[in-house]
Amino acid sequence: MIDVQSVGKRFGDFVALEDVSLEVPDGSLVALLGPSGSGKSTLLRIVAGLEQPDFGSVVIGGEDVTPVPPQKRGIGFVFQHYAAFKHMTVRDNVAFGLSIRREKKTVIRERVNELLEIVGLTGWADRYPAQLSGGQRQRMALARALAVQPRVLLLDEPFGALDANVRQELREWLRRLHDEVHVTTVLVTHDQEEAMAIADRIVVLDGGRVQQSGPPRELYEKPANPFVMKFLGPVSSLGDRLVRPHDLLLSNDAGDGLEAMVTRVVYLGFEVRVELELASDGAVSVQLTRAEADELELRAGDIVYVRAPVLSA
Amino acid sequence: MKALRVVALGYLGALLLAPVGLVFYRTFEHGLGAVWDSITTPAAISAFWLTVEVAFIAVVLNTVFGVIAALTLARGQFRGKWLLDALIDLPFAVSPVVIGLALVLVYGRDGWIELPFQVIFSLPGIVLATIFVSLPFVVREVTPVLREIGDEQEQAAATLGASSWQTFWRITLPAIRWGVTYGVVLSTARAIGEFGAVSVVSGKVAGETMTLTLLVEQRFTNYDLAGAYAASALLAVIAFATLLVMTRVRPR
């Protein structure tokens, strides 16, 4: 378990972390989610020992590691830009931590082969990082971090430098890997979809503070404040209320809804996004299923009535 | 494009290749035997070995210092960094003769610093002068390489358990090895060819403190033109060999 206790950190005048506390249960996968400058990477680097906090402490597995250098924290760290050792083969990269620990050659070889198989790089052992794709390099970096059997795996925007489709694939792969290996993992990301898809718990950071933490669904459905609501998914504002676009209801009958004109109907496969101009003022976007949209026979220029469900936000 | 190529090649040809070629032509004009005799006199052999010795000491020291200074400049955050950065270029800015005179002022008879052994008109003085003039090369080759590779690999090594020392030898040094090599080659060439500073501090005692460049000058002023050409050719050959080594070891 990782226990971060009221940690603060400044860089000159910039306050990176105000007073952050955080618990990561053993074997779980926690995402630190926030916009750039929110302090999420700084927090991860403090857990790793790559930065020192100005105050507060970091406890890993019951041991206060605040004064312990990164070498002795029992962590594995994966960087956004891979930090591959360019002059070493894939095999030597993965073996690095073990050879520093002076393991026997045969032991290293066996363990490296095992890891290369787990990350799907068996045929690439004798290549150099420059000969690998971005996704392969990051899998190599992951194998390298896992080779030393860390107590804690720390991932700093691990898929941030990859193409969208590779990112999605690696994300699912990492989740499966975590279900097999069960190493306590903290992942930093600015991509809410990534956090939702992969994490057991999400900690939303902004302005150096924890805005909310909890399981993905709880954060999505019961956001603690407008920032979390906006950051975790699309929002529409209706009057002074923030609502998810798919929670809004459309109807052809006046009822108690607000009058609006359809400006655009966008087909997104299963879903349809309807953009509206309110008669009172302001634009609203509503998400419907295709069936719902077909039933309403919506066209640009139509007049409809929109209302928010009772007690949603 | 063609015009540019003609300009570049013409410039090189007129200012570099023709004079050096002429030296070789003049050297071998009277046959190999004469050349061989001229570069195997006791004075010439002594000058050759002194040059090699001085260059070796200066380059080794400047390489160690250069890598340390480059690490300080590229990785360190401290007050007065700009001053260190500027000071390193001082040997480029100051004329070698001035450097030689400065060394005499500091270490010479009645100088600021008195050491139990003789510095000026002796080997230590020549080494000091050579170190001074060849100091910037390794620093200036290695610093940009260090900046470019960044420190993420070093951080990764730390998280994998490597000490700073292990990280330096296993990650940093292999990553900067071509920068170091290039710096070493340039330093060597500069050290072997140094004339001005060395000529002030050496005293030019034949067989003792006479380096190859000083020998060339001495023979030239003594109207021993053939001897001067032969010694020059030897210098040029050493320089070519150094450059050749460099192009051979450079990465693809």
Side-chain angles (χ1 to χ4, degrees), chain A residues 123-188:
Chain A
W124 302 79
D126 298 318
R127 305 288 184 100
Y128 284 88
Q131 297 167 297
L132 306 185
S133 70
Q136 288 174 318
R137 272 183 234 181
Q138 201 55 300
R139 282 186 276 149
M140 178 193 85
L142 208 61
R144 184 175 73 179
L146 288 172
V148 296
Q149 290 177 306
R151 288 188 288 183
V152 168
L153 184 61
L154 306 171
L155 312 167
D156 190 3
E157 300 258 12
F159 313 131
L162 301 170
D163 294 341
N165 54 342
V166 181
R167 196 183 312 170
Q168 184 125 12
E169 192 185 302
L170 269 191
R171 180 201 289 174
E172 283 154 21
W173 174 82
L174 179 67
R175 182 63 229 194
R176 284 199 304 275
L177 182 73
H178 182 264
D179 292 339
E180 281 170 36
V181 188
H182 270 306
V183 55
T184 311
T185 303
V186 183
L187 169 117
V188 160

Side-chain angles (χ1 to χ4, degrees), chain A residues 11-188:
Chain A
F11 296 102
D13 289 338
F14 176 71
V15 180
L17 295 171
E18 197 95 42
D19 177 1
V20 171
S21 295
L22 170 75
E23 278 185 11
V24 181
D26 272 334
S28 69
L29 200 168
V30 169
L32 301 180
L33 175 67
S36 59
S38 60
K40 56 193 192 304
S41 282
T42 305
L43 182 56
L44 194 76
R45 292 172 60 81
I46 285 174
V47 173
L50 293 170
E51 303 280 359
Q52 273 297 310
D54 296 336
F55 55 83
S57 53
V58 177
V59 178
I60 299 178
E63 178 200 355
D64 183 353
V65 295
T66 320
V68 177
Q71 285 89 344
K72 301 210 165 92
R73 288 200 181 188
I75 51 146
F77 201 99
V78 172
F79 296 80
Q80 178 175 2
H81 298 287
Y82 329 121
F85 301 143
K86 293 193 180 107
H87 61 285
M88 294 184 194
T89 59
V90 170
R91 172 180 296 288
D92 290 343
N93 263 275
V94 177
F96 186 83
L98 297 168
S99 86
I100 288 289
R101 282 164 180 69
R102 301 187 189 289
E103 296 282 351
K104 276 192 198 141
K105 284 230 165 78
T106 49
V107 176
I108 294 181
R109 205 175 167 78
E110 208 169 294
R111 178 103 182 99
V112 170
N113 285 342
E114 201 180 299
L115 278 157
L116 288 177
E117 197 178 325
I118 292 176
V119 301
L121 287 174
T122 300
W124 302 79
D126 298 318
R127 305 288 184 100
Y128 284 88
Q131 297 167 297
L132 306 185
S133 70
Q136 288 174 318
R137 272 183 234 181
Q138 201 55 300
R139 282 186 276 149
M140 178 193 85
L142 208 61
R144 184 175 73 179
L146 288 172
V148 296
Q149 290 177 306
R151 288 188 288 183
V152 168
L153 184 61
L154 306 171
L155 312 167
D156 190 3
E157 300 258 12
F159 313 131
L162 301 170
D163 294 341
N165 54 342
V166 181
R167 196 183 312 170
Q168 184 125 12
E169 192 185 302
L170 269 191
R171 180 201 289 174
E172 283 154 21
W173 174 82
L174 179 67
R175 182 63 229 194
R176 284 199 304 275
L177 182 73
H178 182 264
D179 292 339
E180 281 170 36
V181 188
H182 270 306
V183 55
T184 311
T185 303
V186 183
L187 169 117
V188 160

Side-chain angles (χ1 to χ4, degrees), chain B residues 9-40:
Chain B
L9 291 178
Y11 192 87
L12 274 181
L15 295 172
L16 252 166
L17 292 180
V20 175
L22 208 59
V23 165
F24 275 93
Y25 173 74
R26 280 299 178 81
T27 306
F28 296 105
E29 206 176 19
H30 304 293
L32 263 177
V35 177
W36 182 251
D37 289 343
S38 157
I39 59 171
T40 50

Side-chain angles (χ1 to χ4, degrees), chain B:
Chain B
M1 269 325 284
K2 198 182 171 192
L4 289 181
R5 199 187 318 150
V6 169
V7 170
L9 291 178
Y11 192 87
L12 274 181
L15 295 172
L16 252 166
L17 292 180
V20 175
L22 208 59
V23 165
F24 275 93
Y25 173 74
R26 280 299 178 81
T27 306
F28 296 105
E29 206 176 19
H30 304 293
L32 263 177
V35 177
W36 182 251
D37 289 343
S38 157
I39 59 171
T40 50
T41 64
I45 289 174
S46 151
F48 173 81
W49 286 114
L50 181 64
T51 300
V52 170
E53 188 184 356
V54 167
F56 180 78
I57 298 172
V59 169
V60 167
L61 291 178
N62 274 343
T63 303
V64 174
F65 166 80
V67 171
I68 293 171
L71 280 169
T72 316
L73 286 175
R75 300 275 187 268
Q77 292 290 344
F78 57 95
R79 271 163 201 273
K81 190 164 130 176
W82 64 272
L83 190 66
L84 174 64
D85 203 4
L87 275 179
I88 282 168
D89 283 333
L90 198 64
F92 282 159
V94 179
S95 161
V97 177
V98 178
I99 292 167
L101 285 174
L103 287 175
V104 172
L105 277 180
V106 175
Y107 297 104
R109 203 168 284 176
D110 304 325
W112 287 2
I113 298 174
E114 287 200 33
L115 294 172
F117 52 90
Q118 196 183 355
V119 175
I120 300 303
F121 303 148
S122 155
L123 180 70
I126 302 174
V127 171
L128 278 176
T130 309
I131 286 176
F132 201 120
V133 298
S134 59
L135 181 139
F137 293 103
V138 174
V139 192
R140 287 289 169 246
E141 289 303 324
V142 173
T143 310
V145 181
L146 276 172
R147 290 215 172 102
E148 197 205 312
I149 58 174
D151 59 355
E152 269 202 350
Q153 292 185 50
E154 289 159 15
Q155 288 178 12
T159 64
L160 291 166
S163 66
S164 321
W165 192 244
Q166 286 170 320
T167 303
F168 174 76
W169 286 105
R170 300 179 65 157
I171 304 300
T172 314
L173 194 59
I176 60 173
R177 64 194 186 281
W178 301 120
V180 174
T181 308
Y182 199 52
V184 163
V185 169
L186 290 176
S187 308
T188 308
R190 184 75 179 84
I192 288 169
E194 173 49 24
F195 174 75
V198 167
S199 111
V200 177
V201 299
S202 105
K204 302 175 191 170
V205 182
E208 278 179 38
T209 61
M210 184 87 77
T211 63
L212 264 181
T213 50
L214 297 179
L215 183 73
V216 172
E217 191 229 10
Q218 191 214 35
R219 284 180 172 178
F220 185 74
T221 46
N222 291 346
Y223 303 106
D224 176 10
L225 285 188
Y229 290 139
S232 304
L234 184 57
L235 268 174
V237 166
I238 300 174
F240 282 141
T242 328
L243 283 175
L244 205 67
V245 168
M246 180 190 80
T247 47
R248 295 307 296 226
V249 297
R250 282 208 96 181
R252 21 296 66 142

